[in-house]
Amino acid sequence: MLKEIIFYGRGGQGGVTAANLLASAALKSGNKGVQAFPFFGAERRGAPVKAFARISDEEIYLRSQIREPDVVVVLDTGIMDVVNVTEGLKEDGIVLLNTPRKPSEVEMPCRVATVDATTIALNNKILVGGIPVVNTPLVGALAKLLDGVNIEAVKEAIKERFGKNAEANANAAEQAYNEVVL
Amino acid sequence: MIVIDTGNHIAALAAKMAKPHVIAAYPITPQTTIVERLAQYVENGEMDAEFIRVESEHSAMAACIGAASVGARTFTATSSHGLLLMHEMLHWAGLARLPIVMVNVNRALGPGWNIWSDLNDSLSQRDTGWIQFYASSVQEAYDNIIQAYKIAENEEVMLPAMICYDGFILSHTSMPAEIPEQHEVDKFLPEYKPAWKMDVEKPATHGNIVPPEYYIQIRYDMHLAMERAKKIIQEVGEEFGRKFGREYGLIHEYRCDDADYVMVTMSSIAAEGRVAVDRLREKGEKVGLVNLRTFRPFPREMLKYDKMIVIDRDISPGLGGVVYNEIRGNGSEVYGFMAGLGGMDVSYKDIERMYELAKQGKEGLYPLEVK
């Protein structure tokens, strides 16, 4: 079963890293086909950016960009003023938002999941240049929403990627996994 | 071991495992991360190679030519305008019959400035005497680099080889790749032992004036070497298959056996095309796909299907699709599309649409001007 995920965030926020961590965790969870790639644009810090991930139990031959995602992850809800994040979302697709609000408090024409990744990042003291790192908790939350990706694999992928702060990022991912609400 | 990483990082790993003595390269988007990674390998002692920092791509190729002339195994990588700046030296490497191996990350040419995938950079090096491989996955990029050395250094060949893959679509996409152990690679690709090299102990003149009656032989011999390379590419691809479980040839056929139409393409579009073929087959369409692995030597004699649809991510102004025109005139009914230029996304839906259009006898620039 192919699952396609789009990450929306701002340049420098870690959307591409999130896609890579998810792909790595999916591979560790036993999926044969995984992919992670940035939107092929001119990226700059602060501007809205997109990253993609694909997960399948079979080898993936698709090389095109994702147009009809199963899950959309929004790292910064502020970009929803300028980007239509539900564009192309599959009928039973899910939007995962980084917000302290509950899904019932969000008005969107689709299934909504929420997790307060910013607060989780602050509590775990994962900051880069003073900015909370929300990508690792959001990947943790995805492990709850996606069949075939387990949280242990997410933590392992995080530990492989981050030298120092690996533990704090892995803890943040686990906390988000436990706190995400659909 | 299965590793997940970007096309560029996996290419750098392949280059490292092929154990070149000399790397000379200049960074350019989207090739940069190959050079960064190789510089890191050399810096931290993981790789025992001379890394020459050069001031341009022309110099990078010149340095590789010098090193290869004294019998060193060499590696470089470039993209787009970098490859074009090398052009004079590419002919030099080809005519000097030096088995230099290079990665070209395909990128469009400017102006208008564009950093995305387009195959015109490498296809316009068609006549330089370089073998050209095209990869449709990160795994193929790795496998092609390892095999390229063995093919290029074969005494029946002795030609430089270029491994090409799409900028961003493969260079910056993380995918899993099976990486063999170093000792397995060493066994498959032993140390380079040139039959001839420049040697200060045995001085000889090299590159002096050649009268027409000899020059014509040199030039034609290059052509014959390229023809012989077809057999060697096949043999090395089979040996690679026996050792590593992934067999290669000049082309890869997918569901072609009973096909009424065969789509011919290369690079990432060839992977996406498999998805289109599967979907069309489900609808009862008898269609297959050929992934062209080599553009030089060109396996023209293998492309004998009644009806072919060629998809080019390139354009030769005044003639049309490059691959299309290499095939046309072989007795088959051939339809040509140019698509995805400058990184335009080509999805399986686009490929299915091109198939439908070809069935109606149409061809041209997709999706803007199809007649």
Side-chain angles (χ1 to χ4, degrees):
Chain A
M1 223 354 219
L2 175 71
K3 290 281 177 197
E4 297 183 303
I5 300 103
I6 301 182
F7 295 82
Y8 287 97
R10 293 186 186 278
Q13 215 173 17
V16 179
T17 305
N20 274 300
L21 285 171
L22 180 66
S24 175
L27 186 68
K28 288 176 195 302
S29 304
N31 295 282
K32 202 171 167 213
V34 299
Q35 253 178 28
F37 53 108
F39 174 72
F40 312 128
E43 297 187 358
R44 58 215 185 277
R45 191 167 283 271
V49 293
K50 247 199 246 194
F52 306 96
R54 288 192 172 102
I55 302 170
S56 173
D57 46 9
E58 290 170 7
E59 189 171 347
I60 296 171
Y61 292 98
L62 293 166
R63 301 288 182 266
S64 53
Q65 297 186 18
I66 296 169
R67 305 204 182 276
E68 292 166 10
D70 297 278
V71 178
V72 164
V73 184
V74 182
L75 282 78
D76 176 353
T77 51
I79 62 153
M80 286 159 64
D81 296 337
V82 286
V83 181
N84 175 15
V85 299
T86 57
E87 189 187 353
L89 184 70
K90 287 211 179 83
E91 216 166 287
D92 58 344
I94 301 171
V95 173
L96 169 63
L97 302 176
N98 168 24
T99 174
R101 289 180 288 168
K102 294 279 157 281
S104 56
E105 297 162 20
V106 179
E107 259 188 61
M108 284 182 97
C110 58
R111 293 164 78 197
V112 175
T114 62
V115 68
D116 190 358
T118 305
T119 302
I120 292 172
L122 288 169
N123 289 343
N124 284 278
K125 296 187 176 62
I126 46 171
L127 302 153
V128 172
I131 297 163
V133 175
V134 297
N135 62 353
T136 45
L138 284 167
V139 176
L142 278 173
K144 190 63 144 286
L145 303 177
L146 290 166
D147 292 334
V149 181
N150 64 63
I151 185 66
E152 290 312 314
V154 170
K155 286 163 68 184
E156 211 182 304
I158 289 170
K159 284 175 188 170
E160 267 177 26
R161 185 149 181 137
F162 299 95
K164 59 174 189 171
N165 293 339
E167 205 64 40
N169 277 283
N171 289 342
E174 184 153 39
Q175 201 181 327
Y177 173 81
N178 291 324
E179 289 180 11
V180 64
V181 187
L182 178 61
Chain B
M1 189 173 108
I2 292 179
V3 170
I4 177 169
D5 215 332
T6 61
N8 277 355
H9 283 164
I10 296 288
L13 181 61
K16 175 188 159 209
M17 294 179 82
K19 296 186 174 171
H21 305 99
V22 173
I23 302 163
Y26 191 85
I28 178 170
T29 302
Q31 155 265 34
T32 312
T33 49
I34 305 177
V35 181
E36 278 177 359
R37 183 54 64 93
L38 287 171
Q40 198 183 344
Y41 284 144
V42 173
E43 186 64 25
N44 67 19
E46 274 182 80
M47 196 174 177
D48 183 20
E50 187 77 30
F51 190 101
I52 307 175
R53 292 167 187 84
V54 285
E55 72 282 10
S56 77
E57 287 86 356
H58 189 278
S59 307
M61 187 45 60
C64 286
I65 288 169
S69 299
V70 296
R73 181 175 282 169
T74 57
F75 181 80
T76 186
T78 193
S79 255
S80 183
H81 288 263
L83 184 68
L84 267 55
L85 185 53
M86 280 182 184
H87 180 71
E88 180 197 9
M89 291 289 106
L90 294 182
H91 275 288
W92 218 105
L95 279 160
R97 308 290 297 274
L98 299 168
I100 297 162
V101 170
M102 164 163 72
V103 164
N104 180 63
V105 183
N106 289 111
R107 167 188 151 181
L109 306 167
W113 221 236
N114 179 303
I115 56 171
W116 298 283
S117 182
D118 189 303
L119 308 191
N120 259 126
D121 55 353
S122 52
L123 293 178
S124 64
Q125 310 309 316
R126 195 185 64 173
D127 303 333
T128 54
W130 282 65
I131 294 168
Q132 287 194 9
F133 294 101
Y134 287 82
S136 71
S137 69
V138 168
Q139 181 76 64
E140 286 173 23
Y142 178 92
D143 294 348
N144 284 349
I145 291 167
I146 302 294
Q147 290 173 65
Y149 279 103
K150 192 162 175 130
I151 294 157
E153 292 168 1
N154 186 294
E155 283 185 20
E156 288 189 59
V157 179
M158 290 304 287
L159 287 169
M162 196 184 293
I163 292 92
C164 307
Y165 55 82
D166 303 81
F168 295 101
I169 301 169
L170 287 186
S171 69
H172 286 63
T173 296
S174 293
M175 280 186 227
E178 170 87 41
I179 307 299
E181 296 293 327
Q182 182 67 57
H183 68 86
E184 294 174 297
V185 175
D186 292 345
K187 211 171 157 199
F188 177 80
L189 180 66
E191 207 181 325
Y192 172 43
K193 291 207 173 70
W196 181 90
K197 61 178 178 180
M198 279 193 189
D199 186 350
V200 286
E201 301 299 326
K202 295 177 205 152
T205 324
H206 186 70
N208 52 339
I209 194 155
V210 174
E213 62 271 29
Y214 290 114
Y215 186 82
I216 192 172
Q217 287 177 32
I218 292 174
R219 206 66 172 123
Y220 192 65
D221 192 48
M222 259 177 96
H223 171 65
L224 294 178
M226 199 57 101
E227 285 294 323
R228 288 194 297 271
K230 288 180 180 171
K231 177 175 68 94
I232 306 299
I233 290 166
Q234 201 80 42
E235 284 172 10
V236 169
E238 282 162 16
E239 186 191 340
F240 192 88
R242 286 194 299 276
K243 291 206 165 135
F244 303 112
R246 294 178 299 280
E247 200 177 307
Y248 289 87
L250 297 153
I251 63 170
H252 180 80
E253 288 182 304
Y254 183 65
R255 304 185 81 166
C256 288
D257 281 351
D258 62 338
D260 292 333
Y261 285 84
V262 169
M263 297 199 274
V264 180
T265 188
M266 55 197 201
S267 268
S268 65
I269 296 178
E272 187 88 15
R274 283 177 67 123
V275 180
V277 165
D278 287 344
R279 285 168 53 101
L280 288 165
R281 283 272 178 182
E282 265 174 44
K283 291 183 206 159
E285 301 291 328
K286 284 189 174 176
V287 57
L289 181 117
V290 164
N291 180 0
L292 269 182
R293 181 178 177 231
T294 63
F295 175 70
R296 279 295 178 273
F298 194 76
R300 193 175 157 90
E301 63 284 356
M302 297 175 91
L303 302 169
K304 292 274 196 253
Y305 309 96
D306 291 343
K307 291 175 187 164
M308 285 193 270
I309 303 163
V310 183
I311 305 174
D312 270 282
R313 187 174 229 138
D314 57 78
I315 181 166
S316 180
L319 192 61
V322 174
V323 180
Y324 168 62
N325 279 291
E326 302 266 317
I327 293 172
R328 216 160 58 140
N330 72 344
S332 309
E333 197 176 313
V334 191
Y335 300 91
F337 290 95
M338 291 160 280
L341 306 188
M344 275 267 283
D345 200 33
V346 179
S347 77
Y348 60 87
K349 287 182 183 170
D350 295 314
I351 298 168
E352 286 172 51
R353 182 79 188 120
M354 283 183 254
Y355 167 75
E356 298 294 347
L357 288 164
K359 270 180 71 178
Q360 298 163 23
K362 292 179 181 171
E363 58 181 6
L365 180 69
Y366 179 88
L368 305 175
E369 208 169 307
V370 179
K371 287 176 197 158

